[in-house]
Amino acid sequence: MASSTPKATEERLQQIRQAAAEGHLHADSQTHPRIQGHDSYYGLPALKPPTWTWEVPLYFFLGGISGVSSSIALAAQIFGADPALIRLSLWIALVGAGICPALLIADLGRPSRFLNMLRMFKLQSPMSVGSWVLVAFSGCAFLSVLTNELVLHGHVFFALIGLRWIGEASAALVGLLLASYTGVLIGATAIPVWSQNRRLLPLHFLVSGLGGAAGILELAGFLIPATHFLGFVASGIETAAEILFEFRKSPADAPLHRGRAGFTFLISGILEGPAALGVRLLWGSTPTGREAAAICFLAGALLSRYAWIWAGRASAKLPDDQFAMQRRKLQSREPGVPSKPRVS
């Protein structure tokens, strides 16, 4: 019975603190245990860093471009744009839809692992939803290219025209999901830098895919006002995002401002934001300027995917950020709970 008294409980807590100190750990009774090196929690990692290889950021990049390209093709079809532009946009979508599964399989190690992800559909799992979105987009992109090629080669009849519209509309819809879901995927984790930006990441990846798709069309020779406008919009939004990250600098965003991830994130933000926008403003009236802006944006968009993955790995090794984020969540759910536990 004596062990249940407050005095006995406090003595036991003091013994635990002394034992932790002897093991070169420091237990702060007012907040939470802090570990030398900030890389473990009582000898165990606080979070498991992502183990994705180089193929996954490249998949994020190509998936965004191919997904948005299908939407550009549909818009061009609706407004009666150049059939060559529509055809190229559809082929970009199809080529990306073919490369992305190969990149995922290369990261997973063998095709059977990718097929196992399709055994069931779980709406609560971003990974499951993303796998099915990728498969659905591949089928829609193939249907769009096939029907469009048949129409261009003179096979024009009512059923084929309708099937082409169905294919392009479905590819455009699923393509937008493909371009943005990767941001949802990494945001739906406990890694602080990703979780902190879970509302911004889908939009960021979608806009990045938009600018990348427009840039490829410009490099292919379609230097028309529509692609110029899309490039302006994408680089303008990315400039605003770069300013936001530079001024906000929350504790959870620390990996985005230091080390390899921070340097890459800064360069990528400048390239697809202020650099691309500035080139368009100053030399956008010339083909060379348009192409230079497109190259800047594409390079920045690719580097940003790697920067986010590297930042996630660094963030997973900072347990203090994870503990602080969990405390903020608890406080938001239970406003009456004090911010620091009391010790009698």
Side-chain angles (χ1 to χ4, degrees), residues 16-301:
I16 293 175
R17 295 189 187 105
Q18 292 177 355
E22 293 174 358
H24 302 288
L25 302 175
H26 174 66
D28 186 349
S29 62
Q30 297 296 323
T31 55
H32 60 273
R34 296 176 180 268
I35 289 61
Q36 292 182 353
H38 300 285
D39 58 357
S40 64
Y41 179 65
Y42 287 123
L44 298 174
L47 290 172
K48 183 179 180 181
T51 58
W52 289 330
T53 54
W54 63 268
E55 293 92 347
V56 172
L58 183 58
Y59 155 61
F60 288 176
F61 172 71
L62 295 178
I65 290 178
S66 59
V68 177
S69 293
S70 61
S71 300
I72 292 177
L74 177 63
Q77 192 77 263
I78 292 174
F79 290 101
D82 186 354
L85 184 147
I86 299 172
R87 185 186 188 193
L88 178 59
S89 299
L90 292 176
W91 273 105
I92 293 173
L94 181 60
V95 171
I99 296 176
C100 287
L103 292 172
L104 279 182
I105 291 172
D107 175 71
L108 293 171
R110 55 178 183 266
S112 60
R113 292 179 177 175
F114 179 74
L115 295 177
N116 287 337
M117 296 168 65
L118 303 174
R119 293 175 61 186
M120 63 178 62
F121 179 80
K122 295 177 63 177
L123 188 60
Q124 300 85 353
S125 171
M127 184 69 74
S128 176
V129 173
S131 301
W132 279 100
V133 165
L134 178 58
V135 171
F137 177 73
S138 300
C140 295
F142 176 76
L143 177 62
S144 301
V145 170
L146 177 62
T147 53
N148 187 68
E149 289 295 324
L150 290 174
V151 171
L152 291 177
H153 284 81
H155 302 281
V156 181
F157 50 90
F158 180 77
L160 184 60
I161 296 296
L163 193 59
R164 183 181 68 171
W165 278 105
I166 292 174
E168 291 184 2
S170 57
L173 177 61
V174 182
L176 292 178
L177 296 176
L178 177 64
S180 59
Y181 107 89
T182 49
V184 178
L185 174 65
I186 65 175
T189 65
I191 295 179
V193 69
W194 291 350
S195 180
Q196 173 79 11
N197 298 286
R198 62 188 178 277
R199 293 183 178 88
L200 181 63
L201 280 168
L203 176 62
H204 167 54
F205 281 14
L206 181 62
V207 172
S208 186
L210 174 64
I216 291 178
L217 290 175
E218 288 182 312
L219 292 175
F222 293 97
L223 302 174
I224 58 178
T227 55
H228 193 35
F229 173 76
L230 293 178
F232 255 120
V233 171
S235 57
I237 295 176
E238 289 302 312
T239 299
E242 176 66 17
I243 294 173
L244 173 65
F245 279 112
E246 285 300 315
F247 280 92
R248 188 175 66 176
K249 290 188 176 180
S250 65
D253 290 338
L256 295 173
H257 302 285
R258 64 191 183 201
R260 180 179 64 169
F263 177 76
T264 307
F265 186 75
L266 176 62
I267 296 300
S268 67
I270 292 175
L271 286 175
E272 63 179 342
L277 182 62
V279 172
R280 288 189 182 277
L281 289 172
L282 296 175
W283 300 287
S285 59
T286 64
T288 303
R290 296 274 297 275
E291 292 170 354
I295 292 174
C296 282
F297 195 97
L298 284 167

